[in-house]
Amino acid sequence: QVPLVESGGGSVQAGGSRRLSCEASGYRSRLYCLGWFRQAPGKEREGVAGIYTAIGVTDYTDSVKGRFTISQDNAKTTLYLQMDNLEPEDTAIYYCAAEPCVTANQALVVHQRGLDPRHFRYWGQGTQVTVSS
């Protein structure tokens, strides 16, 4: 089990910014593929952004490209999602997730599968982000 704890959610007006954090204790980030996902009411969980340390790749779903940035701190114990120019459509519960990616090949396989929540094994409890117009 990989404990993942999200924080930073809240309410913000459209056009504003928010930074989400995900504390991951007891893991070494280079051994995991990491991602941010979200689920809006009545919708399926969708991938937002992923970071694949073993192959040096980040990925974003089209709707957030240019607005959201996924990153890690230097100690590689905290995952971030910087969200700028927020839109009401970004309202959702945001989750961080991790999937073991010990080798570069494993990271490549996970990356090629896309930001599919079915391929991430460990999940946080989620944090609510509400964007008002």
Side-chain angles (χ1 to χ4, degrees), residues 34-97:
L34 303 169
W36 284 99
F37 297 80
R38 65 187 180 186
Q39 188 164 17
K43 294 187 177 181
E44 293 186 353
R45 192 170 298 188
E46 65 170 350
V48 175
I51 187 165
Y52 310 90
T53 305
I55 56 174
V57 171
T58 58
D59 199 9
Y60 299 89
T61 192
D62 286 346
S63 64
V64 307
K65 284 180 180 177
R67 301 189 298 122
F68 290 12
T69 304
I70 188 171
S71 64
Q72 295 173 292
D73 67 339
N74 289 336
K76 300 291 192 292
T77 58
T78 305
L79 181 70
Y80 299 103
L81 184 68
Q82 177 65 41
M83 305 185 295
D84 298 318
N85 195 20
L86 282 160
E87 303 170 352
E89 293 74 21
D90 296 317
T91 295
I93 299 175
Y94 284 73
Y95 302 87
C96 67

Side-chain angles (χ1 to χ4, degrees), residues 28-41:
R28 291 189 293 175
S29 66
R30 69 177 180 86
L31 299 180
Y32 288 85
C33 296
L34 303 169
W36 284 99
F37 297 80
R38 65 187 180 186
Q39 188 164 17

Side-chain angles (χ1 to χ4, degrees), residues 1-3 5 9 37 64 75 77 79 83 87 101 103 109 113 122:
Q1 187 71 22
V2 177
V5 181
F37 297 80
V64 307
T77 58
L79 181 70
M83 305 185 295
E87 303 170 352
C101 293
T103 67
V109 168
R113 288 172 176 168
Y122 304 111

